[in-house]
């Protein structure tokens, strides 16, 4: 589960989101915090979370490993290139 980053929302960013969306400041802070929390997730945390989500969706590991490699290639924060073996080790240890 992704977690918000707390009160670390920059005031300038908060003002921008309030101004451009019309959201109340408290809701804008929550949205920005959630988005920032998404982008600070490490590659390992992402792989573990996505693997669990995809398993819940009924996908098999062969498809999951391919999807994870594709998804990591386009993550906003660059992740290292991981082999299928490395992906398995992240999930299963």
């Amino acid at each position: 589960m992704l977690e918000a980053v707390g009160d670390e929302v920059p005031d300038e960013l908060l003002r921008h989101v309030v101004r451009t969306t019309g959201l109340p400041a408290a809701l804008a802070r929550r949205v920005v915090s959630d988005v920032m929390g998404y982008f600070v997730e490490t590659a390992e945390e992402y792989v573990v979370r996505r693997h669990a989500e995809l398993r819940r969706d009924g996908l098999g590991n062969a498809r999951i490993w391919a999807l994870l490699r594709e998804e990591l290639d386009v993550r906003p924060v660059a992740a290292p290139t991981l082999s299928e073996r490395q992906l398995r080790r992240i999930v299963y240890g």
Side-chain angles (χ1 to χ4, degrees):
M1 179 65 125
L2 295 176
E3 297 194 20
V5 294
D7 293 328
E8 303 166 21
V9 175
D11 289 336
E12 182 179 349
L13 178 57
L14 179 60
R15 285 191 302 271
H16 173 75
V17 171
V18 168
R19 185 177 62 252
T20 59
T21 66
L23 291 173
L27 181 56
R29 177 178 300 278
R30 173 61 196 265
V31 169
V32 171
S33 178
D34 287 349
V35 171
M36 288 174 61
Y38 176 85
F39 287 113
V40 299
E41 189 175 40
T42 67
E44 289 82 6
E45 291 166 337
Y46 178 80
V47 167
V48 170
R49 178 179 61 80
R50 283 295 289 150
H51 180 268
E53 291 171 356
L54 295 169
R55 290 295 291 174
R56 278 193 300 272
D57 290 343
L59 276 71
N61 278 338
R63 180 68 183 126
I64 290 173
W65 305 136
L67 280 172
L68 286 173
R69 283 194 306 259
E70 291 172 16
E71 291 176 2
L72 286 171
D73 283 344
V74 295
R75 288 285 294 167
V77 177
T81 302
L82 300 171
S83 69
E84 179 176 323
R85 181 174 183 267
Q86 289 170 311
L87 294 169
R88 284 195 310 266
R89 288 185 59 85
I90 290 169
V91 172
Y92 299 118

